[in-house]
Amino acid sequence: MSKGFETLKDFKVKEGGDGNFSYYDECGNVKKELFNEIAEKEAIILAEAEDIDKARKMAGRREFRKACNLVEKGKLTTTQVRKFYDDLKSIEKQMELSNENGKREKFERLLPLIKMLRTKAFYAKARDNVTDHFVNFIERNISLVNTPRDLEQFSKYFESVLGFFRYYEEQKKQLSKQWQDELKREKRR
C-alpha cells in the first residue's frame, strides 16, 4: 500500500469519504501519488476488485464457483467509464482552443457543462448503468473543478483511474474464464 494508506478502507476514508480529497498537496503542487497510488486505489474500488486475492485463495482450494462469483460481481464497465472520460476530454478540448488570456473566460462558460457530468452520472445510476462508487467518484471530482488547472488535473487523474480500471477489469475477466474452464473440466471427470 502507498504511504499513508494501510488498507483500501483507509484510502476510502482519507481520500474519498471525508471531503478532504484534493489534487494538490499543502504547497499547492499536484500530489506525487495522484496519478499512481491514489488512482490505482480508486480504480480498485470502482472495479470492485478488492476481493481478487480472496478469490484466488478460493480457487486454490478448488472452490471455482465461489471464486467466479466473487470476481464477476460489479456492473460498472470500461465502456461506461470511458463514456464519461470522453465527455470530459471533449470539454477539455474546447478549453485548449482558447488562448491563454481567454482561458479563464472560456472555462467559466464551460463550467456548467463540466458540472453537468454529475447530472449524467446520476442519470446513469438511475438506469442502473453505473455504481454508487462511480457516482461518488464523479461527484467528488466535479466539486473540485473550480479553475482551468483543476480541470486539467481531474482529466489526468481520470485518465489514470481509467487505465487502472481497465487493467483490473481484464484481470477479473481472465480469472473468471480460467476458473470457468476449471469447472467445465471438473464436470467432465
Side-chain angles (χ1 to χ4, degrees):
M1 292 284 153
S2 68
K3 186 174 133 187
F5 303 117
E6 297 305 318
T7 66
L8 279 173
K9 184 177 179 185
D10 291 341
F11 169 75
K12 288 178 188 177
V13 170
K14 289 182 182 177
E15 289 296 335
D18 67 355
N20 290 329
F21 182 78
S22 174
Y23 306 126
Y24 311 108
D25 62 19
E26 52 281 342
C27 297
N29 299 314
V30 176
K31 289 180 181 176
K32 66 181 183 335
E33 337 49 43
L34 183 65
F35 305 126
N36 287 300
E37 294 94 339
I38 295 172
E40 183 177 13
K41 285 171 183 56
E42 187 88 63
I44 289 170
I45 292 165
L46 292 176
E48 298 182 58
E50 300 106 325
D51 295 327
I52 287 177
D53 289 335
K54 184 177 177 183
R56 281 190 173 120
K57 288 176 185 168
M58 288 177 176
R61 295 188 306 264
R62 306 204 59 77
E63 297 174 3
F64 297 115
R65 173 68 51 217
K66 287 180 183 177
C68 282
N69 290 340
L70 204 54
V71 296
E72 289 173 354
K73 73 178 184 178
K75 62 184 167 198
L76 186 61
T77 65
T78 302
T79 303
Q80 277 294 331
V81 176
R82 183 73 200 203
K83 182 180 179 295
F84 280 84
Y85 176 71
D86 289 345
D87 285 350
L88 180 65
K89 289 305 286 183
S90 174
I91 294 167
E92 190 178 38
K93 206 173 242 15
Q94 292 178 52
M95 280 291 300
E96 290 171 3
L97 298 175
S98 303
N99 61 24
E100 255 336 287
N101 294 335
K103 218 172 203 133
R104 182 67 195 187
E105 185 179 307
K106 183 75 166 189
F107 174 80
E108 291 300 327
R109 284 199 312 266
L110 292 172
L111 191 57
L113 293 177
I114 297 165
K115 300 293 183 182
M116 191 173 171
L117 288 174
R118 180 177 175 266
T119 306
K120 289 179 178 185
F122 275 94
Y123 179 75
K125 174 63 180 154
R127 296 188 68 215
D128 210 26
N129 290 335
V130 299
T131 62
D132 288 333
H133 290 302
F134 185 73
V135 172
N136 292 339
F137 167 76
I138 292 293
E139 195 169 22
R140 178 176 11 112
N141 284 282
I142 292 299
S143 72
L144 295 174
V145 177
N146 298 304
T147 67
R149 181 178 183 227
D150 297 338
L151 177 62
E152 179 184 356
Q153 299 320 313
F154 176 37
S155 179
K156 289 177 182 176
Y157 179 60
F158 202 158
E159 180 180 3
S160 299
V161 170
L162 178 60
F164 285 116
F165 181 87
R166 173 80 174 154
Y167 168 79
Y168 284 107
E169 278 300 293
E170 281 304 310
Q171 192 174 50
K172 287 170 48 177
K173 284 179 192 174
Q174 289 172 3
L175 290 171
S176 179
K177 183 182 179 336
Q178 175 186 342
W179 296 332
Q180 286 173 5
D181 291 347
E182 284 293 328
L183 282 169
K184 288 175 190 173
R185 279 192 282 281
E186 280 186 355
K187 282 184 182 180
R188 283 188 236 138
R189 290 181 197 155

